[in-house]
Amino acid sequence: MQDLDADQVTDAVIAQMAGTPDPRMREIMEAAVRHLHAFAREVRLTPDEWLKGIAFLTAVGQACSPVRQEFILLSDVLGLSRVVNVMHDAEGREAAGTETSLLGPFFREQAPEVALGESIARVSKGPEIMLYGRVLDAEGKGVAGAWVDLWQADADGLYDLQAHDPSVMDMRGRVRCDGQGNYRVRTLKPRGYSIPMEGPVGEFVRRQARHGFRPAHIHFLISAPGYRELVTALYLAEDEHVDSDTVFGVSKSLVVTAATGQPDAPVPGMPGIRYDFTLSREASDGGGRVGADPAKLMPAG
Amino acid sequence: MQDLDADQVTDAVIAQMAGTPDPRMREIMEAAVRHLHAFAREVRLTPDEWLKGIAFLTAVGQACSPVRQEFILLSDVLGLSRVVNVMHDAEGREAAGTETSLLGPFFREQAPEVALGESIARVSKGPEIMLYGRVLDAEGKGVAGAWVDLWQADADGLYDLQAHDPSVMDMRGRVRCDGQGNYRVRTLKPRGYSIPMEGPVGEFVRRQARHGFRPAHIHFLISAPGYRELVTALYLAEDEHVDSDTVFGVSKSLVVTAATGQPDAPVPGMPGIRYDFTLSREASDGGGRVGADPAKLMPAG
């Protein structure tokens, strides 16, 4: 006969889940239940607080749509995405490899291809910068023909999906490295921006007196046959929020400055960011991105 | 400069939430973040698994509606509702008080009043039983005029909201104790039932090879001025799932048997369940039910 106090119920739940056929699902759910119950006991969660939590999660789920993933946003502001990304990074990346960062919700497949040195700013206007450098392997050799996919907010802090109708692709593109692994591409200096603050996660962040901003950054997805896909971002050192990113995406090695007067600048006088990316060899796990197309996460029907 | 490994990110998140004006919200969220991160690190959660979790929570949120609360159901099958209820029970209940149980999703305000000894079965048919006994205070004295609100599934395992359109109130009612705290009310023997299995939580339970059943039971909400509202349920000992309730609601002291031949039976020959409920004095926290009307948990607009 069950007669479970607040401690014993944990074992009872785990016992009831013990027949889970998938051993990994069993392992994950056992740990989830232990931590969930330990949390509730530690804070002595009351029925009213539990109900507020239910209402909050319900609102987060209801805010999800084919163009918005509020649960990923929640994972981001709670630092969970960072934890998962860092662990994944540590397991698949070679010591010399570039650190990874979050994919975020604005990646789009089939961005327009641009030639070396061309600009990805097709509609938006603003101060121009040049991104250039090399894509290298772990031994420091250039990776010929590597693809550099990049996307970013414009000078107003908006992605194309926020500024225009979905048919417009702007501030994103794919450039192919030359035979020595060199890339160069012109763009606008991005502006930092706030996460969406009008939904339940925005309200949650506001109630924590957090600013809700991400520092200015440029996303990269770099790929070449035989190498691990690299999902990362470069962050502008000058941004006032570079030390307090609301979604904890910044790593020291990914912080850059747009400088003028560099001897190797492709366009003299234009501020340039020189950054060499280093790819790791392909891992057996086949990768995995911390992020996704919101439309693919909606339940069917 | 942030440069956070999978351990350090936890402190960084807590630091960013440290300015939360509401101290209780700060306390709860700090503990939530610590446990959430510890869980992810313990199981080495991969990006693919994280994404499956995001998709699952999204589906749970999207399944919520004004007549269905899938997140409460998830809390129930994970044992969290039991943990919260047991802690609440331990803080507000006097030693002699009747143990509490979950409110569940089928409570409705303004159930029809029935006279002592009348039946709450207005539409459904099935084998009848008599519920009777007393509502007592902690000293064993009858509580005159206490209200006994009860609701249950019918002989097919369906609540009125599942079997009929919402205008029908059946298998629920309110009966008022007499001057000595006696109550008696006729009803049908309830049948155990499965939780809703066609939604994401049902699929989750199925993937854990759990049966998904609750043992047959009758819900009670008992109230009287000056006493703590008692939310509880009685469970039928004969039900095959009385030891494996999918939502962990059963306590030993709440298991009963419908017996015939009891000398104090109000209707000789009719199987009867005699149960005395003991109320605790009103606590300063004003109570709080583990459960809610799904409509009240939907986001506005």
Side-chain angles (χ1 to χ4, degrees), chain B residues 133-154:
Chain B
R134 297 180 76 194
V135 176
L136 305 169
D137 67 16
E139 284 75 43
K141 289 195 193 135
V143 179
W147 281 102
V148 176
D149 212 316
L150 69 163
W151 65 105
Q152 64 171 74
D154 62 18

Side-chain angles (χ1 to χ4, degrees), chain A residues 58 62, chain B residues 61 64-66 68-69 293-300:
Chain A
T58 302
Q62 295 269 320
Chain B
C64 292
S65 76
R68 178 167 184 151
Q69 233 307 330
D293 178 351
K296 293 186 179 155
L297 290 168
M298 291 298 284

Side-chain angles (χ1 to χ4, degrees), chain B residues 7 22 41 56 67 79 116 165 214 223 251 259 270 274:
Chain B
D7 293 311
D22 177 344
R41 286 192 299 260
F56 175 66
V67 295
L116 281 170
D165 77 73
R214 298 215 63 201
S223 57
S251 293
M270 181 183 292
R274 187 199 156 93

Side-chain angles (χ1 to χ4, degrees), chain A residues 56-93:
Chain A
F56 174 66
L57 293 172
T58 302
V60 171
Q62 295 269 320
C64 292
S65 78
V67 295
R68 178 169 183 148
Q69 233 307 330
E70 197 83 355
F71 266 116
I72 289 187
L73 186 63
L74 179 59
S75 167
D76 291 348
V77 303
L78 292 178
L80 178 64
S81 307
R82 170 89 187 188
V83 170
V84 172
N85 194 61
V86 167
M87 289 191 300
H88 178 61
D89 194 40
E91 288 186 6
R93 181 164 59 86

Side-chain angles (χ1 to χ4, degrees), chain A residues 1 3-4 16 24 34-35 37 42-43 49-50 58 61-62 64 69 75 78 82 210 243, chain B residues 1 3-4 16 24 34-35 37 42-43 49-50 58 61-62 64 69 75 78 82 210 243 252:
Chain A
M1 178 60 57
D3 207 19
L4 310 164
Q16 203 175 107
R24 178 62 176 162
R34 267 192 287 102
H35 285 285
H37 290 197
E42 179 183 324
V43 302
E49 291 161 351
W50 168 84
T58 302
Q62 295 269 320
C64 292
Q69 233 307 330
S75 167
L78 292 178
R82 170 89 187 188
R210 293 161 67 175
D243 281 330
Chain B
M1 179 61 59
D3 206 18
L4 309 163
Q16 202 175 107
R24 178 62 177 163
R34 267 191 287 104
H35 285 284
H37 290 196
E42 180 183 324
V43 301
E49 291 162 350
W50 168 85
T58 302
Q62 296 268 319
C64 292
Q69 233 307 330
S75 167
L78 292 178
R82 169 89 188 188
R210 293 160 67 174
D243 282 331
K252 210 181 294 183

Side-chain angles (χ1 to χ4, degrees), chain A residues 194-275:
Chain A
S194 169
I195 61 165
M197 291 297 278
E198 85 294 358
V201 173
E203 170 66 17
F204 170 77
V205 165
R206 200 179 293 114
R207 289 189 58 203
Q208 295 183 318
R210 293 161 67 175
H211 55 63
F213 272 85
R214 297 215 64 202
H217 60 279
I218 302 166
H219 292 278
F220 292 88
L221 190 157
I222 301 177
S223 58
Y227 296 91
R228 187 172 201 245
E229 181 183 82
L230 171 64
V231 176
T232 192
L234 297 180
Y235 296 86
L236 296 191
E238 68 197 72
D239 192 292
E240 63 178 312
H241 301 120
V242 76
D243 281 330
S244 61
D245 184 0
T246 296
V247 306
F248 309 96
V250 181
S251 294
K252 208 181 295 182
S253 68
L254 301 174
V255 175
V256 296
T257 303
T260 48
Q262 290 164 303
D264 61 352
V267 178
M270 182 182 293
I273 293 171
R274 187 200 155 92
Y275 199 88

Side-chain angles (χ1 to χ4, degrees), chain B residues 41 64 98 116 145-146 161 184 196 230 245 247 258:
Chain B
R41 286 192 299 260
C64 292
T98 299
L116 281 170
L161 285 165
R184 57 186 178 278
L230 171 64
D245 184 0
V247 306

